[in-house]
Amino acid sequence: MTDWVHAVHVICSGDAMAGAIGALDVAFPCDDGAPRDAAHPERYGCALSADGKTPVTHYGASFSVTEEIRQRLEGLGLAQTPGVNYWRCTNPGGVLVTSNQPSAPAAGTPWDFDASAAALGLKRVEMEYPGLQG
Amino acid sequence: MQIGLGISPTIPMGVAVPAFTPTSISGLQLWLDASDSSTLYQNSNGTTAATADGDPVGYWADKSGNGRHATQSDGTKKAALKVSNQNGRNVNYFDGVNDNLGFSFPISYGYVWVVYKFTGVTNSASAALINRSLGPGLYATMNFDTKPGIYWYKAGAGSDETMSLSVGTGTSSANVVRFILLQNEMGISLNETTKSTVSLASSPVGNWINIGSALTAQAYQGSICEIVVSTNAATDSDFTNMYLYLKQKWGTT
């Protein structure tokens, strides 16, 4: 049985990313203790927008946490921060437990990151390699 | 005592025929095997084993002996262990959002075998299976894309070169893909049945640095079972033996 019993999906508006990254550094620091670089939100979350094109309006991340880390994350008020959209599911299994979204389905619904993005009307922003227009 | 069946060579009774493994080929540079539970750890310094379904994987030990362990210290980007997921064996699952493992691989050419099961049908952007270093110079990356399928992409100053196979991105089964990147040629073979090569106008340089992609727009979604890299000139026998080894082990098509 894994200790990483929670799967968290977080989608932040661009303005909220710096605060969310700061909260992660406190509640869920990197193994090597190095701080994350809030100046580069694209390193931590996938780029999202309403039409799947630039400009990017939101960034999303999906990861698992232990109960201890969950308490720290939620204790910092991450889910109550303006611009932060938050879903917590079981891990493994991916069943929704709670969310700060009023329109979220009932607890017990199968849920993943793509469902989170779709619930906000967001699509991944396509970025082609230069020179590849297949 | 020997058993002779009228054909040569004969095999002494009781002598086991050595099983093929990636160490059987010369020039082995990297061997990552998700089915070997002794090589997977939760933390990036490789001290807490990843054993349970859903455990994060922050350290994937290289079995080649070259110490090219793949690591991720950021818990939001770690792959996840999936137990008994492919042919009864454990795999590493990348979520297609931001998961990736970094490694130091100071070569830019060689023969690369990857056993994977791609599930990124919801990703419209390209997904990097193994990604290259950023910055100037020539580099190569092996990618999936909903449009051209599996492809090599080698870019450089004024000399972008791309090859692709429009097969193999299906989600119904695991596959073995073999990439070749040499000084004057690159090639792709899927399950040893579809092969394609192109000549290169210039030699590749740069390093492979990520399994998955550090660029979240190219995050890979799906399982990665095993990766083997060799730099020496492999023989047709090597290709066949490696494919059969991986096919039998992972139950690929």
Side-chain angles (χ1 to χ4, degrees), chain B residues 52-140:
Chain B
D53 197 49
D55 274 354
V57 176
Y59 183 104
W60 192 358
D62 173 19
K63 297 168 67 174
S64 75
N66 293 310
R68 296 191 170 103
H69 314 304
T71 63
Q72 177 54 264
S73 65
D74 187 336
T76 70
K77 302 182 190 177
K78 292 178 180 177
L81 176 67
K82 297 292 185 185
V83 173
S84 299
N85 183 273
Q86 178 64 39
N87 205 29
R89 299 178 185 275
N90 298 353
V91 304
N92 285 332
Y93 182 80
F94 293 72
D95 67 3
V97 180
N98 58 356
D99 290 351
N100 70 87
L101 296 169
F103 59 161
S104 175
F105 206 137
I107 61 170
S108 59
Y109 64 96
Y111 303 83
V112 183
W113 291 264
V114 183
V115 182
Y116 70 94
K117 185 175 182 180
F118 182 55
T119 59
V121 292
T122 58
N123 287 353
S124 56
S126 58
L129 185 58
I130 296 181
N131 210 7
R132 41 66 177 165
S133 54
L134 297 172
L138 303 176
Y139 46 79

Side-chain angles (χ1 to χ4, degrees), chain A residues 28-50:
Chain A
F28 193 14
C30 294
D31 294 344
D32 57 8
R36 298 173 176 90
D37 186 353
H40 291 282
E42 74 281 0
R43 294 179 183 173
Y44 308 102
C46 71
L48 302 164
S49 72

Side-chain angles (χ1 to χ4, degrees), chain A residues 78-91:
Chain A
L78 181 67
Q80 287 75 47
T81 303
V84 175
N85 305 282
Y86 182 88
W87 297 262
R88 174 161 53 83
C89 301
T90 60
N91 180 55

